Amino acid sequence: DPTRVAIMYEDELLNQCSSTNTVPTSRLERLLRERELRRSTRSPHANDESRDSNGNVDVFSNINDMYLSDGERGYRDEDLSEGIFSEKHLNDSCDKQDARVRKQRLLVVANRLPVSATRKSEDSWALEISVGGLVSALLGINEFEARWIGWAGVNVPDEIGQRSLTKALAEKRCIPVFLDEETVHQYYNGYCNNILWPLFHYLGLPQEDRLATTRSFQSQFASYKNANQMFADVVNEHYKEGDVVWCHDYHLMFLPRCLKEYNSKMKVGWFLHTPFPSSEIHRTLPSRSELLRSVLAADLVGFHTYDYARHFVSACTRILGLEGTPDGVEDQGKLTRVAAFPIGIDSDRFVRALELPQVKDHMKELKERFAGRMVMLGVDRLDMIKGIPQKILAFEKFLEENPIWRDKVVLVQIAVPTRTDVPEYQKLSSQVHEIVGRINGRFGSLTTVPIHHLVRSRPSTLTDDRSLDFHALCALYAVTDVALVTSLRDGMNLVSYEFVACQASKKGVLILSEFAGAAQSLGAGAILVNPWNVTEVAASIGYALTMPADEREKRHRHNFTHVTTHTSQEWAETFVSELNDTVVEAQLRTRQIPPLLPKEEAVERYLRSNNRLLILGFNATLTEPVDTQGRRIDQFKEMEPKLHPDLKEPLKRLCNDPNTTIIVLSGSDRNVLDENFGEYNLWLAAEHGMFLRLTTEDWMTTMPENLNMDWVDSVKHVFEYFTERTPRSHFELRETSLVWNYKYADVEFGKLQSKDLLQHLWTGPISNASVDVVQGGRSVEVRAVGVTKGAAIDRILGEIVHHNEVKAPIDYVLCVGHFLPKDEDIYTFFEPELPAGPAPSARTKIASSLNRFTSNSTGLAAFRRKASLPSPTPEKRATDSFSGNGNWWSRMRDKMTMHEGSSVLDLNGDNYFSCAVGRKRSSARYLLESSAEVVSLLKELAECQH
Ligand SMILES: O=P(O)(O)OC[C@H]1O[C@H](O[C@H]2O[C@H](CO)[C@@H](O)[C@H](O)[C@H]2O)[C@H](O)[C@@H](O)[C@@H]1O
Ligand SMILES: O=c1ccn([C@@H]2O[C@H](COP(=O)(O)OP(=O)(O)O)[C@@H](O)[C@H]2O)c(=O)[nH]1
C-alpha cells in the first residue's frame, strides 16, 4: 500500500540507523532513498479504491477516499509530532523494533474547495465540483490522510447556514472558511484576480482608471491580509502536531507567515499554480516585499517550472537583498527551500474512462456529428490568459488562407465562465462572442459553422449528471485531431495533459503555447507556438492537420509517456516528501549554528568581574541600521557608516569606567574611526589592526617596515576597471588594503563581475604577490598576507597591556562583531586550549596557565608610534607580528608573566563571550541577531555601572 511508504522509508532508515546510527547528510541521498522506497512499495492498482465495481471513475470518490475517519487511522498523533522523517524521530526510532502503521495527515489549504456549494434551503446544500486545474490535480491525490480547507464559493452570513454547510462539507472532509461578500469583493475579485493574477501573467497592473485602482489598492491589500488570517485561523483550529500544511496559490501568499507566527514548528509548504513573473514585473507591486517575506516564512516553496522558481529567487535577491543559493533563499542562515515541482494529472482516470460504455457512446455521437470533418479542440476557462481571441483569430487566418479546409475542419471551443464579477472577464466574454459570431458569419453555411463555441453554464451537480460531464470531456478529447492551447501565460495547463492521456488510439496533435508551463514538459511532442504570432499559429494548424501518421505517433508516444509517469500523485508525494525533508535539513544545519547569546548571563558576569575587555567590530555591529523594514537600502547612507545614535550615551559610560577597556576593531580606515569615536576614551584599531591608537594619543602602526606594498597599483588598476564597468559598485583604497564592493550593483551582474575579477587576480599580474584575496558576501578585498583580526588582536593586546601595565587580570572578555569568515579567527583566539565539545556548554575553565605575559614583553616593540616613532623595531615587525601565523601571543605567553608571575588573563568558559552579529554559521560561541541587539546589550552593560 503506497500510503505506507512513509513507514517503509522509516523502516529502511531504521536498518540504516542500526548499522551506522546516522541519517544521510545529503538531501539528495535522502530523497532518492525515499523515492525508491515509495516506488518499490506502490501497488500497480493503487488507485483502484477510487473506482466502483465497474471500474468507473468517480471524481468525488477520491475526496471520499481521502477522508477516512480518525478511528481508521493507524498511527498515533504523538508519533508524528516531529514528522515522520525528522532526524530526532529517525534516531529515536533506532531503538524501536515495532514499526507502526502511519499515514501522515495533510492539510491542503486553497482558496477554493474542491466542491462549491449552492444553498437549497435554510439548512440544505447542493455540492458541485469546482472547475480549474488546481482542483483537478489535487483530486488525483489519495495517498494522504488529507483535509481540505478553503472557501466554498458562497456567502453564508447566518449561523444556521454556516453550521449546516460545515456539516455537509465535513462528509467530504472539507472545512470551510467563511468569507463575507465584502471580503470576496476586495480580496478575491479585487486583490487576487484584478491585481495579482494579471500581474503574475505579465498583463501588468490594471491600466484603466489608474486612479481608482491606486485608491482601492490599499483597502484590497488590507482585505487580502485579513482574508489570509481567516484561513490561518481555521488551519490553527484544526492543526494537530505532526500535520503537514500545504498552502496553495497566489490567494494565500500571507498564509505561511500567519501560520509560522502562530506555531513556528508547523511544517508549512506553499505552492504557486500560476507563473511567477520576472522580478522586473514583481517589483512594480507596491506590496512586493511584504508578500515575498511572507512566502519565505514557509519551509518549502514550490513552482511548476524552474523558470518560475528562478524568478522568485531573483525577486528575493533583488528586491529583498537576500542571498539566493542553488537550494533556495537564505536569510541570516535560515534557508527557505525553493524548487520546481511540475504538476501532473491522474492519467489513469482518463485512460480508464475511455473504456466506459457511456464514453464510447459519446464518442460515437461526436464522430457522427462531425463526420467528414477534422476536429480541433480548445478547452479553457474564459480567462484573458488563455488567449482565446488569439486562438480564434489564428483559426480565421487559417480558413482565410486555406479555402479548401473550410468545410473540412471544425473548432470546438469549450469555455467555462470564471470570475464573472471581475469587469475584465465580463469584457472578454462579449469580445469572444463577437469574434466567433463574425467568423461563423464569414465562413459558415446554412447547415454548418466552423466554430462551435460552447459556453458552459455552471459545473454539474454532485447528484445528477456529474460523471456525464467528465465522460463527455474525455470523449471530446478522444475524438479530437488537433488540440489548440494558446495561453498567453499559463502556470501549467492541465488541459494539454488530459488531451494527451485520451489520445492513445487517435494520436492527435497538440499545438501548445510556448508560454504555458506545459511547454517545458510536452514541448518535445507538441508543436510549440507563440500565440501572439497569428501567422505562425495558422501555419501550425495546417501542419498539424496534415501531419503524417508516423510523425504523429512518435510525438504522441513521447508526450503520453510523460503524462502517464508524471502524475498528480507523484507531484504531491514529491512535494510532501521534500517538505518533510526540510525539517531534517534544518536540524542538520542547526547543528552548525551557535546559540543566541545568553544576555542575562553576559550582563551578570560583567557585573561580577573586575577588569573587562570589550572588543567590538564597527560595521553592522555598532552602526545604525539603514535597511529598515520595508525601506530600500540607502547606498548613500550606508557608504558613510555612522555610530548608532542610541549607543552614544552607553558607550560614553562604558568608556569612562576605569575597569573596562574597549577596543573598536574594524576594517575601516583611520578617518572613519576618528570621525565616529574620536570623542570616546577607547582603543581604535583601523584596517584590521594595522593602525592602533588610544583616542587620547596618536596613531601608531603595526605594519612591518619592510612590508611589500608594490602590488597596490596593479590591484587598484584592476579595481578601477571593474568599477567603471559595474554600475553602482565602488572601491575603497585604504592604506594597507583595497576593497571592491558590489553590494548595490545588480546582484547577478555583480557576482559575474566578481568571478571575472577574482580569476584575474589569481592568475594575473599579482598572482605571485604576498597578498590575500578575501571574498566577502558582495565584496572582494586584497590585503597583505596574514592580515586578519585574529592576528591583530595578538598585537593589540600586547600594546594595551604594555600601556596600562594591567593591574588586575582581565577576567571578562566580550568580543562582538560582524566579521568576514577570514576574520573570525578573532573568536577562537582566546580559547585554543578549551576542551573539545560545543563551546557554549563547555564550562571547563581555560587553563589558567594560558595567556601569561609581562608588560615588558618583547612583542610590545612590534608597535611603533607613527608620528613619534617613524621607524619600528624592524626585527620584531617582520618576524613576529607579521609572520602570518597569528601566534605571537601563543609563543610568548609561557614566557610572560605579569608582575612576578600572576596571570594577565583569568578567563574560563563562563566569562568569555564571543558573539557574531547577524551571521548564523560562525566560529563564535554565540549569536546576536542584529545590531539592535548589540545596542540593547551595551545599554544594559552601561547601566550596570550604577
Ligand atoms: O478558482 P478560480 O478563481 O475559479 O480559478 C480556477 C483556478 O485557476 C488557476 O489554475 C492554475 O492551476 C493549474 C494547476 O496547477 C495550472 O495548470 C493552471 O495553469 C493555473 O492557471 C488558479 O491558479 C487556481 O487557484 C484556480 O483555482
Ligand atoms: O468544462 C470543463 C472544462 C474544464 N475542466 C477542467 O478544468 C481544468 C483546467 O485546468 P488548466 O490547468 O488547464 O487551467 P486553469 O483553469 O486551472 O487555469 C482541467 O482539469 C479541465 O478538465 C472541467 O472540469 N470542466
Side-chain angles (χ1 to χ4, degrees):
D1 176 354
T3 61
R4 297 181 186 177
V5 163
I7 305 125
M8 299 297 291
Y9 175 51
E10 188 190 0
D11 282 347
E12 173 68 10
L13 275 161
L14 289 183
N15 292 338
Q16 193 189 347
C17 284
S18 52
S19 56
T20 62
N21 210 24
T22 54
V23 174
T25 49
S26 128
R27 166 189 289 129
L28 196 61
E29 214 178 305
R30 291 192 302 269
L31 292 175
L32 279 171
R33 186 178 294 269
E34 199 264 353
R35 179 174 176 273
E36 226 171 83
L37 271 158
R38 230 168 43 213
R39 297 206 158 183
S40 64
T41 53
R42 180 175 297 158
S43 94
H45 301 296
N47 281 344
D48 281 359
E49 306 134 44
S50 13
R51 304 171 204 283
D52 65 19
S53 52
N54 299 322
N56 288 353
V57 179
D58 180 349
V59 175
F60 267 95
S61 65
N62 284 344
I63 304 179
N64 291 321
D65 275 355
M66 287 193 296
Y67 300 151
L68 300 169
S69 69
D70 282 354
E72 286 172 274
R73 277 189 281 143
Y75 68 88
R76 296 203 305 261
D77 283 337
E78 64 270 25
D79 291 334
L80 296 177
S81 60
E82 294 284 334
I84 286 174
F85 303 119
S86 82
E87 194 187 10
K88 176 179 179 298
H89 182 85
L90 295 171
N91 286 334
D92 288 354
S93 302
C94 289
D95 303 330
K96 299 178 189 164
Q97 295 305 314
D98 60 326
R100 289 174 300 273
V101 175
R102 292 185 190 89
K103 192 172 180 183
Q104 190 162 29
R105 262 181 37 139
L106 179 65
L107 299 185
V108 173
V109 199
N111 171 67
R112 193 173 282 287
L113 284 174
V115 286
S116 301
T118 315
R119 199 162 192 167
K120 292 292 168 201
S121 68
E122 199 185 22
D123 62 356
S124 81
W125 296 88
L127 302 180
E128 50 191 37
I129 302 165
S130 310
V131 176
L134 184 150
V135 168
S136 303
L138 286 161
L139 283 178
I141 302 165
N142 61 2
E143 305 293 337
F144 296 95
E145 161 87 13
R147 279 175 173 73
W148 194 311
I149 295 173
W151 174 54
V154 63
N155 178 30
V156 194
D158 59 304
E159 217 184 301
I160 297 181
Q162 294 199 355
R163 215 175 301 136
S164 54
L165 180 56
T166 305
K167 199 165 161 230
L169 289 171
E171 284 172 28
K172 308 286 169 214
R173 293 251 178 139
C174 288
I175 302 162
V177 177
F178 291 106
L179 304 176
D180 59 57
E181 260 175 28
E182 183 58 14
T183 304
V184 171
H185 177 61
Q186 298 259 355
Y187 145 78
Y188 178 67
N189 293 327
Y191 200 75
C192 291
N193 290 328
N194 204 32
I195 306 266
L196 291 181
W197 178 267
L199 191 79
F200 283 9
H201 290 87
Y202 290 79
L203 298 174
L205 292 171
Q207 291 296 304
E208 266 173 46
D209 192 5
R210 280 179 221 191
L211 284 178
T213 305
T214 312
R215 272 197 299 270
S216 56
F217 182 86
Q218 278 312 319
S219 62
Q220 289 182 356
F221 186 53
S223 171
Y224 180 84
K225 290 209 265 188
N226 188 41
N228 274 243
Q229 187 57 54
M230 290 163 83
F231 279 83
D233 292 344
V234 178
V235 176
N236 296 341
E237 194 185 315
H238 292 268
Y239 173 81
K240 288 188 182 164
E241 218 176 322
D243 287 355
V244 164
V245 185
W246 190 2
C247 314
H248 290 267
D249 237 349
Y250 59 98
H251 313 88
L252 300 177
M253 292 177 84
F254 258 99
L255 189 56
R257 182 187 186 155
C258 300
L259 295 175
K260 288 284 189 175
E261 271 169 8
Y262 173 77
N263 179 352
S264 62
K265 291 222 171 90
M266 209 184 265
K267 252 184 242 174
V268 179
W270 182 80
F271 186 87
L272 183 66
H273 290 262
T274 71
F276 192 89
S278 143
S279 61
E280 283 307 303
I281 296 280
H282 183 77
R283 74 189 315 159
T284 60
L285 192 64
S287 48
R288 60 199 186 177
S289 304
E290 243 182 304
L291 285 178
L292 292 175
R293 285 203 183 276
S294 312
V295 168
L296 285 174
D299 301 295
L300 174 64
V301 173
F303 298 89
H304 282 313
T305 70
Y306 171 70
D307 271 345
Y308 308 157
R310 179 171 65 83
H311 287 153
F312 177 78
V313 172
S314 160
C316 294
T317 55
R318 283 157 186 271
I319 297 169
L320 302 179
L322 300 178
E323 202 56 45
T325 76
D327 287 339
V329 178
E330 220 178 289
D331 185 5
Q332 298 203 27
K334 191 231 166 214
L335 175 79
T336 304
R337 172 109 175 97
V338 179
F341 300 90
I343 205 169
I345 59 166
D346 179 4
S347 53
D348 249 22
R349 200 176 129 213
F350 288 84
V351 171
R352 287 179 174 234
L354 298 181
E355 298 304 318
L356 301 176
Q358 57 270 50
V359 176
K360 288 186 170 161
D361 289 349
H362 269 300
M363 286 170 65
K364 190 162 166 270
E365 209 178 288
L366 290 167
K367 279 179 189 163
E368 280 166 12
R369 190 180 320 162
F370 299 126
R373 295 208 268 172
M374 302 264 284
V375 179
M376 295 187 58
L377 176 67
V379 178
D380 307 277
R381 275 182 309 104
L382 204 37
D383 195 305
M384 301 76 75
I385 66 148
K386 300 291 178 181
I388 301 171
Q390 284 79 354
K391 174 168 15 192
I392 297 170
L393 290 176
F395 186 62
E396 180 186 30
K397 188 163 175 60
F398 171 73
L399 295 179
E400 205 173 79
E401 290 171 351
N402 301 278
I404 195 170
W405 275 100
R406 285 180 194 168
D407 56 353
K408 291 192 181 63
V409 64
V410 60
L411 170 64
V412 180
Q413 176 61 47
I414 309 284
V416 188
T418 180
R419 307 167 192 175
T420 43
D421 291 330
V422 182
E424 285 297 314
Y425 288 79
Q426 293 161 0
K427 267 185 250 159
L428 175 73
S429 176
S430 40
Q431 190 191 17
V432 171
H433 269 108
E434 210 178 289
I435 312 174
V436 170
R438 185 176 56 72
I439 299 172
N440 277 346
R442 191 173 166 202
F443 298 111
S445 67
L446 271 181
T447 49
T448 57
V449 284
I451 304 176
H452 285 236
H453 181 221
L454 309 177
V455 180
R456 293 234 353 231
S457 49
R458 290 285 301 162
S460 54
T461 65
L462 173 64
T463 46
D464 52 36
D465 61 350
R466 70 193 186 282
S467 50
L468 193 84
D469 259 347
F470 172 66
H471 294 151
L473 189 63
C474 291
L476 245 181
Y477 282 140
V479 301
T480 295
D481 295 282
V482 177
L484 202 43
V485 176
T486 51
S487 310
L488 307 179
R489 295 276 166 182
D490 212 338
M492 180 56 87
N493 190 280
L494 293 184
V495 163
S496 53
Y497 275 57
E498 293 168 2
F499 165 71
V500 170
C502 293
Q503 283 283 316
S505 56
K506 192 145 198 160
K507 299 176 177 52
V509 183
L510 172 65
I511 298 179
L512 178 60
S513 163
E514 62 186 64
F515 299 115
Q520 309 221 349
S521 42
L522 305 182
I527 300 179
L528 291 182
V529 290
N530 169 3
W532 294 100
N533 187 342
V534 172
T535 311
E536 184 194 29
V537 179
S540 301
I541 292 175
Y543 182 56
L545 288 171
T546 54
M547 187 182 284
D550 61 335
E551 184 179 341
R552 278 196 284 122
E553 155 94 45
K554 277 184 204 151
R555 286 176 179 270
H556 169 75
R557 206 182 316 131
H558 177 278
N559 282 350
F560 191 76
T561 308
H562 184 92
V563 166
T564 49
T565 49
H566 295 73
T567 61
S568 48
Q569 191 61 51
E570 276 292 325
W571 167 70
E573 284 175 5
T574 313
F575 187 91
V576 173
S577 124
E578 276 229 31
L579 179 51
N580 279 315
D581 194 72
T582 55
V583 178
V584 179
E585 183 72 19
Q587 284 171 352
L588 291 173
R589 279 173 154 255
T590 309
R591 282 186 182 169
Q592 305 163 7
I593 299 175
L596 289 178
L597 176 77
K599 231 159 77 187
E600 269 179 33
E601 198 184 321
V603 174
E604 196 204 319
R605 287 277 163 186
Y606 180 89
L607 203 64
R608 280 164 40 187
S609 54
N610 299 314
N611 191 9
R612 305 110 179 190
L613 178 65
L614 307 190
I615 305 166
L616 307 173
F618 177 44
N619 284 294
T621 304
L622 303 179
T623 47
E624 60 180 333
V626 284
D627 182 21
T628 49
Q629 195 79 41
R631 252 178 47 208
R632 69 192 68 232
I633 294 174
D634 191 330
Q635 176 175 2
F636 178 73
K637 275 194 169 175
E638 239 188 45
M639 281 171 63
E640 272 184 28
K642 289 268 175 296
L643 176 65
H644 198 301
D646 295 354
L647 270 179
K648 292 188 174 172
E649 185 51 36
L651 193 61
K652 186 141 273 168
R653 276 156 75 173
L654 289 170
C655 289
N656 291 340
D657 180 347
N659 297 325
T660 303
T661 305
I662 300 183
I663 311 167
V664 174
L665 174 51
S666 168
S668 297
D669 65 28
R670 294 188 276 179
N671 290 336
V672 172
L673 296 191
D674 278 343
E675 270 167 33
N676 283 287
F677 299 98
E679 60 191 275
Y680 301 90
N681 179 23
L682 43 63
W683 286 87
L684 295 177
E687 304 207 14
H688 311 295
M690 293 294 259
F691 299 100
L692 187 66
R693 164 192 185 205
L694 184 61
T695 41
T696 48
E697 297 176 13
D698 290 332
W699 283 102
M700 51 193 162
T701 178
T702 68
M703 253 194 296
E705 198 176 48
N706 56 352
L707 185 64
N708 183 341
M709 297 293 281
D710 292 350
W711 48 270
V712 170
D713 275 350
S714 327
V715 174
K716 189 175 158 220
H717 185 66
V718 176
F719 278 14
E720 270 169 359
Y721 176 91
F722 277 91
T723 304
E724 275 164 22
R725 281 159 186 78
T726 316
R728 291 189 72 184
S729 73
H730 63 279
F731 82 91
E732 282 171 62
L733 176 60
R734 298 169 181 166
E735 285 173 74
T736 59
S737 69
L738 283 99
V739 188
W740 182 65
N741 189 311
Y742 57 95
K743 183 171 177 184
Y744 311 101
D746 180 286
V747 194
E748 276 137 46
F749 184 56
K751 265 192 193 146
L752 286 176
Q753 291 288 79
S754 77
K755 265 192 199 155
D756 245 12
L757 181 144
L758 285 166
Q759 180 74 11
H760 185 74
L761 289 178
W762 285 324
T763 56
I766 59 145
S767 56
N768 290 325
S770 308
V771 294
D772 275 336
V773 180
V774 184
Q775 286 184 65
R778 306 226 171 123
S779 67
V780 177
E781 182 171 348
V782 182
R783 325 170 168 166
V785 129
V787 176
T788 67
K789 292 197 167 76
I793 201 69
D794 189 45
R795 305 187 297 274
I796 295 168
L797 283 177
E799 179 60 24
I800 290 176
V801 169
H802 168 65
H803 194 277
N804 290 344
E805 291 180 348
V806 177
K807 290 174 191 77
I810 296 171
D811 57 357
Y812 182 95
V813 172
L814 172 70
C815 176
V816 187
H818 175 84
F819 300 133
L820 292 174
K822 180 145 186 109
D823 288 319
E824 285 217 338
D825 56 353
I826 193 169
Y827 297 134
T828 45
F829 177 80
F830 288 93
E831 48 183 326
E833 289 169 35
L834 268 186
S841 55
R843 289 281 176 261
T844 330
K845 303 249 175 199
I846 294 177
S848 60
S849 62
L850 178 71
N851 307 329
R852 290 166 186 277
F853 62 97
T854 56
S855 55
N856 61 0
S857 145
T858 48
L860 300 176
F863 295 90
R864 131 170 92 94
R865 282 164 216 286
K866 203 176 183 192
S868 52
L869 287 174
S871 69
T873 316
E875 327 75 59
K876 290 299 156 203
R877 181 66 66 260
T879 54
D880 288 333
S881 308
F882 240 82
S883 62
N885 299 327
N887 60 359
W888 174 86
W889 174 294
S890 328
R891 279 188 279 129
M892 298 311 291
R893 67 178 179 233
D894 293 333
K895 298 186 207 147
M896 295 182 287
T897 49
M898 183 188 83
H899 307 301
E900 279 83 57
S902 65
S903 176
V904 161
L905 280 187
D906 180 14
L907 284 186
N908 55 48
D910 293 334
N911 56 11
Y912 174 56
F913 298 90
S914 57
C915 193
V917 182
R919 272 195 203 289
K920 291 280 150 132
R921 260 163 281 163
S922 166
S923 44
R925 299 178 142 223
Y926 303 106
L927 298 180
L928 276 174
E929 288 195 318
S930 64
S931 57
E933 292 288 309
V934 181
V935 173
S936 102
L937 173 68
L938 294 184
K939 272 183 175 172
E940 282 190 48
L941 295 185
E943 271 155 29
C944 286
Q945 322 252 115
H946 299 280

